[in-house]
Amino acid sequence: MRSDPHPTSARVVLRPIGSPLPLGLLALFIGSLLLSAVQSRWFVPTHSHVVAIAVLAIVVPLQLLGCVLGLLDRDPSFGAGMGVLSGTWAAIGVSTLVTAPGRVSAGLGVVLVVAAGALLVPAAGAAGKAVLAVVVTGAAARFAISGGYELTGSPAWAHASGIAGVVVAALAAYGALAFELEATVGRAILPIGRTGQSRRAVSGRLDYQTADLAREPGVRKQL
C-alpha cells in the first residue's frame, strides 16, 4: 500500500488565557506613582532605595509576565510595550540602588530617552485600543521628561516628571479598570476606544479569529 505523499490535515490547538492587560497596566500604575514620589520628594531621599526594591520586586516581574502573556495572546504591540517597560523599570530600579540618594545619572537619562522613543512603536501598534495607545504614549512622554531631569538635574524637570508620572498612573489605573471590567463582564463598561480589528477581536465570530491562523508566528516556518 502506498502512503499519501501529501498530508490531509493539520491541527492547531489554541488555549485561551486570561487577558494580561489589567496586570501590565496596574504594574505601570505602581511604578509610575513610586517614581513620582521619589522625584517630587514626597519623602526624604534616603528612602529611595526602598522604592527601587519595590520596583524590582513588583513592577519588573509583573510587566515581564505581561510581556510573555501578551505575545502568547498574539498581541505583539502589548507584548512589546510591556517588554520595553519591564526593562526600563529594571534599569531605573538598579540605578536608584547603586546611586547615592538624591543624585542624578546622565547614563540613566540616556536610557530613559531611548526607551521613550522605543515605546512609540508599540503605542502606534496599539492604535486600535485607544486607551492603551494613550497610556503607552503617556509613559513614553514621562520617560522622556525623566530623562531630561537625569541629564540636567534641574528641579523644574523633576517637578514636571513627577506631575507627568501622576497623570500616567491615573491613565494606567483607568485602563486597568476598563479592561478588567471588560474581561469580567464580557463587554465594555468603561470606554476603551476599540476600533477596526481590535473591535472585531472581541465581537467577531470565531472563524474571523482563526482565518489567518496558518500565517501566525509559531505556526508558519519563519517569523
Side-chain angles (χ1 to χ4, degrees):
M1 180 180 295
R2 299 177 59 184
S3 61
D4 187 352
H6 303 289
T8 57
S9 64
R11 177 174 296 178
V12 177
V13 178
L14 299 178
R15 176 175 296 175
I17 61 177
S19 172
L21 285 163
L23 177 67
L25 293 179
L26 283 175
L28 177 60
F29 163 77
I30 295 172
S32 191
L33 208 55
L34 289 178
L35 185 57
S36 287
V38 173
Q39 294 173 330
S40 299
R41 303 294 178 90
W42 294 354
F43 44 73
V44 294
T46 53
H47 292 171
S48 60
H49 287 169
V50 178
V51 170
I53 294 172
V55 167
L56 292 172
I58 301 173
V59 180
V60 173
L62 290 183
Q63 291 198 321
L64 182 59
L65 179 60
C67 168
V68 174
L69 293 178
L71 296 176
L72 291 176
D73 260 341
R74 299 185 293 157
D75 191 332
S77 297
F78 178 75
M82 289 298 106
V84 173
L85 284 171
S86 176
T88 306
W89 286 117
I92 292 172
V94 173
S95 178
T96 304
L97 278 178
V98 301
T99 304
R103 299 288 297 274
V104 295
S105 169
L108 178 60
V110 173
V111 170
L112 291 174
V113 172
V114 172
L119 280 174
L120 296 179
V121 175
K129 296 184 282 288
V131 168
L132 181 60
V134 169
V135 171
V136 177
T137 302
R142 188 269 163 80
F143 281 151
I145 297 172
S146 294
Y149 165 61
E150 294 291 339
L151 289 169
T152 64
S154 168
W157 279 100
H159 183 64
S161 182
I163 294 175
V166 173
V167 173
V168 170
L171 291 172
Y174 172 85
L177 178 60
F179 286 115
E180 180 71 23
L181 290 174
E182 180 189 57
T184 301
V185 179
R187 59 183 177 86
I189 302 299
L190 297 175
I192 293 175
R194 288 188 182 272
T195 58
Q197 290 188 354
S198 178
R199 176 181 292 177
R200 291 191 293 271
V202 298
S203 61
R205 293 172 45 177
L206 181 61
D207 55 357
Y208 168 79
Q209 310 294 334
T210 58
D212 298 322
L213 189 59
R215 293 183 288 277
E216 290 280 352
V219 179
R220 65 180 191 244
K221 287 186 176 181
Q222 297 186 14
L223 294 176

